[in-house]
Amino acid sequence: MSIIGSYIPVVIFLIVALAVPPVLMFIVYQLSPRSKAADKLTTYECGSVPIGDAKIQFNIEYYLYAIAFIIFDIEILFMYPWAMVYIGHGITEIAVVAMLLFFIVSVVIGDLYMWKKGAFKWVK
Amino acid sequence: MNIVDIVYNPWFSGIVGLILIGIVFVCAILAVWLERKFGADIQSRIGPNRVGGRYGILQGIADAIKLFTKEDLIPAKADRLLFVIAPIIVLGSGFMMIVAIPFGAIVIGDNVYPIAATQMDISIIYLEAVSALSVIGIFMAAYGSNNKYSMIAAFRNMARMIGYEVPLGVCILGVAVMAQSLDIVEIAKAQSPLWFVFLQPLGFVIFFIAILADMGRLPFDQNEAEEELVAGWGTEYSGLRWGLGLFGEYIHMVLGACIMVLLYLGGWNLPKFLTGIFVLGSLMPIFWFVGKVIVIVLIIIMLRWALPRFRIDQVVDLGWKVLFPLSVLNLIWAVALSLAFDMFFGA
């Protein structure tokens, strides 16, 4: 299969994935009953009258985790191409190990640094 | 043009591959039934026992029909667009995963024909990417439904994904290093004599924990903790809209088990003297693969009824302070092992 060809099924599946739920909901509209009670549209809050809005600002305790995630995730993604070429492409073992160490050390030092600085602490 | 060319024509395999969606859907319905029946057995209850004979095996179908006759409610305060799109994304992420996963293979002689809608050269990265999409869907559902419980659940869900996507990626990297490929079919083929679980036991344990967290199964289902958050992100959802999201999650569970079998538990590989048997031998790898997937799904379901739930900060800490360093260790181990293989057995 060519590279472009291998993504044709993805497009077909994507179209189906986008088309199936609306079709199912259409069937539901044909089959389901309607009631006119107004209370059915209120937000659920254990049966009492809802207080305020849910879209308020509150402390996200893991903000620094999230920043760390972005850095590490991209760093890990950079290692995938490396993992494919390090054997059998004329690269010597020393170069392989040096490249691995460069990535690993930067990841581990980053992790330890954030840990020591208290980034991985659930802020109460 | 012979038959193999026709079957592997992308248009043909893409359209015929849609059957796989149906099969996985049935598997997800069966997984719901299995979860209820098995959970009932573990807790000395009876569980579903009316629809479809003594064991209630058609309960899932009855539930699906019931969902079709429920009124579709969108709360007055909800953001209608987000509310409607969110389940489509959760379900769609499952559908997009089905494309790239080979559900077994037909082995004829030395040729292996994987049963997959497509075979990409980077399918494992693709799978990681589309499976992470469901988190966005869940967040949209929570933000759109404008409910406090849903919002807390979605934030927890984000925290969990952040903590476990990185160890998961590093574990997959360890597997890719050993198989020298990012194609999940090649990775499965590379385990022909020896499963990767024996070469990287540490990696398997980390991967298992991380994928449990990724699927949101207990002990990592803080986003649906019913004792504290009602129904988590789906609190405002009802009827079939809720059903779509639920099926999306169960599809994720089944597919997660498939990926685990393909990456670590040897996929469909069987010894040659078994696949050499006429016709039956060619089909045996499928049953072998499906059998392993069923065992993994049973283990995942059993864990739900056996383990208590962690607190969310404990979960995130486990991801960053234990699993991530250990997964880097596993990566070094995998590289060292494959370099040694290359030195002793390579060209």
Side-chain angles (χ1 to χ4, degrees):
Chain A
M1 244 186 237
S2 65
I3 289 180
I4 301 291
S6 65
Y7 287 92
I8 291 172
V10 177
V11 177
I12 296 173
F13 272 59
L14 182 62
I15 293 167
V16 171
L18 294 179
V20 164
V23 171
L24 292 181
M25 290 319 291
F26 179 76
I27 299 173
V28 168
Y29 273 105
Q30 304 308 314
L31 294 178
S32 65
R34 305 282 148 76
S35 77
K36 287 219 169 76
D39 281 349
K40 70 180 181 181
L41 293 175
T42 51
T43 307
Y44 178 77
E45 241 175 72
C46 300
S48 53
V49 181
I51 301 167
D53 205 63
K55 291 167 184 167
I56 48 169
Q57 292 190 332
F58 66 94
N59 184 15
I60 305 174
E61 290 94 340
Y62 56 86
Y63 182 66
L64 285 172
Y65 288 97
I67 290 178
F69 166 74
I70 293 172
I71 300 167
F72 286 121
D73 210 33
I74 292 172
E75 202 153 3
I76 296 306
L77 204 58
F78 278 138
M79 288 178 80
Y80 278 89
W82 167 81
M84 288 308 96
V85 297
Y86 81 106
I87 282 181
H89 287 76
I91 305 171
T92 58
E93 271 81 7
I94 295 167
V96 168
V97 173
M99 281 187 277
L100 175 73
L101 282 181
F102 180 75
F103 273 114
I104 298 278
V105 166
S106 58
V107 167
V108 169
I109 285 182
D111 192 52
L112 286 178
Y113 178 78
M114 296 196 72
W115 195 340
K116 269 270 171 275
K117 281 280 180 184
F120 296 157
K121 208 159 61 187
W122 202 259
V123 185
K124 288 270 155 52
Chain B
M1 224 172 152
N2 61 8
I3 184 124
V4 174
D5 283 338
I6 296 171
V7 169
Y8 280 102
N9 179 294
W11 294 100
F12 181 85
S13 69
I15 289 167
V16 174
L18 293 174
I19 296 170
L20 291 174
I21 292 184
I23 293 172
V24 171
F25 229 84
V26 172
C27 288
I29 290 177
L30 283 178
V32 176
W33 169 79
L34 198 64
E35 170 128 50
R36 291 176 63 179
K37 196 69 187 170
F38 207 47
D41 278 350
I42 289 173
Q43 298 186 327
S44 301
R45 293 182 282 116
I46 295 171
N49 65 342
R50 297 281 167 84
V51 194
R54 261 185 73 194
Y55 299 102
I57 198 158
L58 297 178
Q59 184 70 46
I61 294 165
D63 286 346
I65 294 171
K66 181 202 72 178
L67 287 179
F68 272 102
T69 60
K70 289 286 175 187
E71 186 178 359
D72 177 42
L73 284 183
I74 299 179
K77 276 187 160 185
D79 185 328
R80 290 185 73 93
L81 188 66
L82 289 181
F83 193 85
V84 170
I85 293 176
I88 301 181
I89 291 186
V90 175
L91 193 68
S93 144
F95 277 24
M96 302 294 279
M97 281 168 83
I98 295 172
V99 189
I101 295 179
F103 296 90
I106 294 174
V107 180
I108 301 169
D110 284 332
N111 298 322
V112 178
Y113 302 109
I115 302 171
T118 184
Q119 195 179 342
M120 304 175 193
D121 47 357
I122 53 154
S123 48
I124 192 69
I125 295 184
Y126 169 84
L127 284 172
E128 253 187 290
V130 291
S131 84
L133 276 182
S134 73
V135 178
I136 296 170
I138 286 174
F139 198 84
M140 283 168 72
Y143 197 80
S145 57
N146 203 351
N147 180 305
K148 284 158 197 156
Y149 300 112
S150 304
M151 283 304 276
I152 296 171
F155 277 115
R156 285 184 180 185
N157 201 39
M158 274 297 187
R160 203 189 53 206
M161 189 277 277
I162 280 167
Y164 287 84
E165 205 82 338
V166 177
L168 195 72
V170 182
C171 281
I172 291 174
L173 194 59
V175 171
V177 158
M178 269 195 173
Q180 278 298 295
S181 178
L182 293 175
D183 183 349
I184 198 161
V185 174
E186 295 298 324
I187 290 174
K189 278 184 196 164
Q191 306 175 55
S192 186
L194 198 55
W195 299 359
F196 282 155
V197 63
F198 299 121
L199 295 174
Q200 309 179 25
L202 181 64
F204 175 70
V205 172
I206 298 165
F207 184 83
F208 188 76
I209 295 172
I211 208 154
L212 272 185
D214 219 39
M215 297 183 297
R217 300 290 306 180
L218 248 134
F220 300 105
D221 75 335
Q222 288 76 16
N223 60 333
E224 278 166 35
E226 55 266 38
E227 294 87 355
E228 29 188 305
L229 291 178
V230 190
W233 62 271
T235 306
E236 288 298 337
Y237 281 81
S238 58
L240 195 66
R241 243 182 246 293
W242 168 81
L244 292 178
L246 178 93
F247 271 124
E249 298 216 312
Y250 273 91
I251 285 176
H252 267 268
M253 181 175 95
V254 173
L255 296 183
C258 289
I259 293 176
M260 205 182 306
V261 169
L262 285 168
L263 291 188
Y264 283 96
L265 299 176
W268 56 76
N269 291 302
L270 276 175
K272 199 142 210 178
F273 65 89
L274 280 175
T275 55
I277 306 168
F278 182 66
V279 181
L280 189 66
S282 304
L283 297 175
M284 229 190 285
I286 303 174
F287 299 118
W288 181 225
F289 175 79
V290 172
K292 280 194 269 196
V293 171
I294 290 172
V295 170
I296 292 289
V297 167
L298 276 178
I299 290 173
I300 292 171
I301 288 175
M302 227 182 321
L303 281 177
R304 167 165 180 184
W305 304 100
L307 293 176
R309 189 180 292 129
F310 290 141
R311 230 171 42 221
I312 183 67
D313 60 320
Q314 293 170 329
V315 168
V316 179
D317 273 0
L318 178 72
W320 280 106
K321 294 179 181 168
V322 180
L323 292 187
F324 179 53
L326 283 180
S327 67
V328 172
L329 204 66
N330 175 64
L331 176 65
I332 295 173
W333 163 252
V335 171
L337 208 61
S338 61
L339 276 180
F341 270 160
D342 188 52
M343 220 179 281
F344 293 122
F345 306 112

